[in-house]
Amino acid sequence: MASFGLGFVRHGQGRNEEALACFRAAHVRGRAIGRPRAISRALTSSLDLHLYLDPPKARVMFGRVADLIQQTGDVLLHTLTLARLGTAEHSAGNLDAAAAVLRRALTQHRTLAPLGDPDHDRREMDIRCRPGRTYRAAGRVAEARDQFRAALAVPGAGRCPKGHAQAVEGLAASGTSTC
């Protein structure tokens, strides 16, 4: 957790290579102690940083990583990677591909058991907001609204201020209030 946290600090300081090194260290430590959650957090944080630094390169990398992770059977990590691949496709202007990948991520997320997973609702809100933004960018406003409303309807939405804010902002940008 210390390496993971330090990675965020280094990224905030603009020291992105050091941040990547911290996420790699967190990943190695997570594997050594057999902590799947630590492994997935370190990997997705590293992938998020790559998406921030070089979106076109990240798109290719996410596609490769998603295929490899799918082969491992780690549904959670594959779902998180698909969500990021969808964002990378969106960033590249491939809105139809982004929507398709994000639908897959949402479908897979629904197969995960929410009990005992404190991040389940937050992840669902995040995954729903991603296609909402993609649909809005593609001019599919009704579908965008549906995703933002569904994010707000997630049972734990009130405990996820960032996701709640994203969904409300998405609705507002789609020409709809939260009412």
Side-chain angles (χ1 to χ4, degrees):
M1 288 306 295
S3 293
F4 180 71
L6 185 57
F8 282 109
V9 170
R10 294 294 183 243
H11 172 60
Q13 295 171 331
R15 297 161 61 182
N16 294 315
E17 290 304 318
E18 290 178 40
L20 287 171
C22 290
F23 293 142
R24 279 192 295 273
H27 176 258
V28 168
R29 180 70 179 138
R31 288 178 58 89
I33 61 174
R35 301 289 302 265
R37 178 180 255 166
I39 294 167
S40 67
R41 281 188 173 180
L43 283 174
T44 56
S45 295
S46 181
L47 291 171
D48 282 342
L49 186 52
H50 282 289
L51 182 58
Y52 169 79
L53 295 172
D54 188 354
K57 184 178 176 183
R59 186 175 143 256
V60 172
M61 185 173 37
F62 279 118
R64 290 180 186 151
V65 169
D67 290 342
L68 290 172
I69 292 172
Q70 185 176 21
Q71 293 172 24
T72 70
D74 187 332
V75 177
L76 173 59
L77 188 54
H78 188 242
T79 300
L80 297 172
T81 305
L82 286 175
R84 280 139 177 98
L85 174 58
T87 299
E89 291 287 4
H90 180 128
S91 295
N94 303 324
L95 300 180
D96 290 337
V101 171
L102 291 166
R103 278 192 301 272
R104 280 182 55 206
L106 186 56
T107 298
Q108 277 192 196
H109 188 264
R110 289 184 193 134
T111 68
L112 298 169
L115 295 177
D117 181 358
D119 295 326
H120 187 271
D121 294 340
R122 181 193 55 77
R123 273 195 312 271
E124 182 173 346
M125 292 181 76
D126 176 64
I127 294 170
R128 286 192 177 280
C129 286
R130 289 173 191 248
R133 289 187 292 270
T134 297
Y135 291 144
R136 188 179 66 229
R140 297 162 60 179
V141 178
E143 290 170 283
R145 289 179 189 147
D146 289 346
Q147 289 301 319
F148 294 127
R149 286 182 181 131
L152 290 171
V154 168
R159 295 184 306 273
C160 306
K162 183 178 176 185
H164 189 273
Q166 286 179 13
V168 169
E169 179 183 308
L171 277 174
S174 302
T176 303
S177 69
T178 56
C179 300

